[in-house]
Amino acid sequence: MAAVADVRRRVLMVSGAYDTLEHDVSVCLNLPEPGRWQVIKSETNLTDKTWVAMQVTTDEDTHFVDGAEAMILSRQFAKTFLTPDLRRLTFYDGEVRPGEAVLKVFEIESTSRRPQYAHARYTPISTDAEASAGSLEKLVADGMPQRPVVEVIVPVTIVG
């Protein structure tokens, strides 16, 4: 994984690939300064399963930005859910098949130069579409259960 921070535009571009479904991936970034950053995140599904939801949770010093001027979207997922405390964001109603890339855009506000956020992916276990839809709705509302975590420190190149 690697990242580029455009200080002038306050944009952080992060790319990488994941090949695990048994672990959540915790990403730690070394930002040039704390504050508000737009995150453009691209990753590739290297597993053999289709992801039908993705969850991002922040650390205690970081939260997502919500509002008219904040962009929260994904090319692969039609819907998003943000908790009232602005600490958990879920992308759903779509899919990322094996070998495909996913693009997510969101904004964070951090009081630290080293924000940390964790990614979790959901792959339905059942082939029953109705049962899977019910499980997904519950996961969106309640959050995905925490799994063992792989921690990644992402180098950030500063431009601008």
Side-chain angles (χ1 to χ4, degrees), residues 1-7 11-15 27-33 37 113-115 117 152-159:
M1 294 188 69
V4 174
D6 184 331
V7 178
V11 173
L12 182 64
M13 295 164 281
V14 184
S15 66
V27 177
C28 180
L29 302 161
N30 290 307
L31 293 177
E33 55 192 57
W37 289 88
R113 286 190 58 221
R114 292 186 60 134
Y117 57 88
V152 179
I153 299 173
V154 178
V156 178
T157 302
I158 300 169
V159 297

Side-chain angles (χ1 to χ4, degrees), residues 110-150:
S110 181
T111 58
S112 166
R113 286 190 58 221
R114 292 186 60 134
Q116 200 162 345
Y117 57 88
H119 290 273
R121 280 102 30 234
Y122 174 66
T123 298
I125 298 167
S126 172
T127 56
D128 178 357
E130 192 172 310
S132 292
S135 296
L136 180 58
E137 287 178 23
K138 184 166 176 41
L139 283 173
V140 169
D142 299 341
M144 295 181 193
Q146 188 170 1
R147 296 177 286 199
V149 175
V150 173

Side-chain angles (χ1 to χ4, degrees), residues 7-97:
V7 178
R8 190 170 41 87
R9 291 186 180 104
R10 306 292 289 189
V11 173
L12 182 64
M13 295 164 281
V14 184
S15 66
Y18 299 128
D19 65 352
T20 181
L21 288 172
E22 295 80 29
H23 295 81
D24 291 341
V25 178
S26 177
V27 177
C28 180
L29 302 161
N30 290 307
L31 293 177
E33 55 192 57
R36 184 173 173 169
W37 289 88
Q38 180 182 51
V39 178
I40 302 171
K41 177 86 170 67
S42 171
E43 60 204 70
T44 303
N45 179 354
L46 296 180
T47 72
D48 62 351
K49 306 283 187 206
T50 298
W51 302 340
V52 297
M54 300 186 77
Q55 174 180 280
V56 186
T57 54
T58 63
D59 65 6
E60 308 80 41
D61 298 325
T62 308
H63 66 271
F64 295 102
V65 178
D66 191 22
E69 73 275 358
M71 186 183 312
I72 299 176
L73 62 92
S74 172
R75 185 176 66 87
Q76 289 74 19
F77 297 104
K79 296 179 182 175
T80 60
F81 174 79
L82 184 58
T83 56
D85 67 358
L86 305 177
R87 301 268 320 280
R88 178 171 49 90
L89 172 62
T90 306
F91 296 91
Y92 65 105
D93 192 16
E95 65 181 23
V96 182
R97 294 181 183 186

